[in-house]
Amino acid sequence: MLKQPERLYGLIGYPLGHSFSQDFFNKKFESEKIDARYMNFEIEDIGELMEVVAQYPNLNGLNVTIPYKEQVIPYMDEMDENAAKIGAVNVIKFTGHGASLKFKGYNSDVIGFTDSISPLLNENRKKALILGTGGAAKAVNCGLQNLGVETTFVSRSERENGLTYSQLTPEIIANHKVIVNTTPLGMYPHIDECPDIPYQYLTPEHLCYDLLYNPDVTLFMRNAADNGAETKNGLEMLLLQAFAAWQIWNS
């Protein structure tokens, strides 16, 4: 019988398919000779979470992905400030065992994004447009506000305290030197798509950050760079949020 690892970690979501987290952590465990393993738990309903926990008593922590980042909240005994502010959890830390088992929820997307974008900010980059209004947009909003950047959401439909794409004037673009794409527009295989913003008003003072990382250079980034703007994709954020999850589990 195969020896079970001392510690087990995993990812819950549905559907899962290819998982960056599984590859990242198992390679980390192997290279650093850590007695641990990372598994994917593809569950069709959040109610199956406790079945997974009961089945794997050596489970030390979980990552959470779509569609459970919000649905998992009622299971939390405690949440950190960022996760509570956003209303989304993507890392769960387990403490105690058996009847005393407790779950604490975190949002490492905020940590990964903040650590990735902060070196690129300056005195001119104090206002940001966030393209999209989903869970990733909420994490980006929280991260930027933590860094002292004023934020405005941009979406296809009108909403309170936000703008639509058709309302983006030259003045608004000039006043917001940071633009973050949190939408899936431009993600492989739809690489010929991009958010409908007036790219011609961008300048070398602008930073255009795309949460996407496949392809490496999205059409959003290419259009921005063609007008002199600084660009960055989401790969570093992905790596940093995974590293943050590991620190959370081991703190």
Side-chain angles (χ1 to χ4, degrees):
M1 187 174 171
L2 284 173
K3 175 182 172 285
Q4 289 298 308
E6 180 189 355
R7 288 177 287 169
L8 184 66
Y9 301 90
L11 172 69
I12 59 165
Y14 188 85
L16 286 179
H18 175 77
S19 161
F20 162 82
S21 298
Q22 189 176 34
D23 289 347
F24 173 85
F25 283 110
N26 283 326
K27 283 175 183 170
K28 177 182 175 68
F29 299 153
E30 188 179 355
S31 67
E32 298 182 23
K33 294 184 170 49
I34 296 168
D35 187 16
R37 186 159 56 101
Y38 193 101
M39 291 175 62
N40 281 351
F41 299 105
E42 193 172 69
I43 58 175
E44 292 189 33
D45 187 277
I46 192 61
E48 297 172 44
L49 169 63
M50 299 313 293
E51 294 172 29
V52 170
V53 173
Q55 190 177 346
Y56 296 93
N58 58 336
L59 201 55
N60 276 247
L62 286 169
N63 285 123
V64 184
T65 190
I66 295 168
Y68 301 130
K69 289 185 181 185
E70 293 169 343
Q71 293 181 37
V72 80
I73 288 173
Y75 292 87
M76 296 302 105
D77 297 290
E78 191 182 348
M79 283 165 64
D80 87 323
E81 188 180 344
N82 286 334
K85 195 188 294 186
I86 298 161
V89 164
N90 76 327
V91 179
I92 305 173
K93 181 178 181 177
F94 294 9
T95 56
H97 293 284
S100 64
L101 183 66
K102 294 275 192 291
F103 296 166
K104 182 169 181 179
Y106 297 81
N107 193 300
S108 68
D109 286 336
V110 178
I111 303 167
F113 174 72
T114 303
D115 289 351
S116 177
I117 200 170
S118 59
L120 306 176
L121 299 178
N122 56 40
E123 284 308 307
N124 287 326
R125 295 172 175 172
K126 290 295 187 184
K127 288 187 176 183
L129 297 173
I130 300 172
L131 312 181
T133 55
K138 291 174 186 171
V140 164
N141 183 55
C142 179
L144 288 171
Q145 288 186 345
N146 288 348
L147 292 168
V149 177
E150 192 180 314
T151 57
T152 302
F153 287 104
V154 182
S155 59
R156 287 172 296 184
S157 51
E158 288 194 24
R159 53 173 281 159
E160 200 177 346
N161 302 323
L163 297 167
T164 62
Y165 287 96
S166 61
Q167 292 173 326
L168 296 177
T169 62
E171 291 75 25
I172 288 170
I173 298 295
N175 287 329
H176 294 79
K177 294 295 196 297
V178 178
I179 302 176
V180 184
N181 177 38
T182 73
T183 78
L185 289 170
M187 184 164 64
Y188 182 85
H190 306 290
I191 60 172
D192 56 349
E193 296 178 0
C194 65
D196 185 19
I197 67 168
Y199 294 94
Q200 67 271 27
Y201 302 133
L202 296 174
T203 69
E205 292 186 352
H206 283 85
L207 167 65
C208 290
Y209 190 113
D210 202 330
L211 262 55
L212 302 177
Y213 52 89
N214 184 14
D216 290 340
V217 180
T218 61
L219 186 56
F220 166 76
M221 292 168 63
R222 198 156 62 242
N223 288 343
D226 285 348
N227 288 280
E230 183 176 5
T231 62
K232 188 175 182 72
N233 72 16
L235 183 60
E236 185 185 48
M237 172 185 167
L238 188 73
L239 294 166
L240 288 169
Q241 67 85 15
F243 183 65
W246 181 245
Q247 289 188 308
I248 288 165
W249 291 329
N250 290 277
S251 62

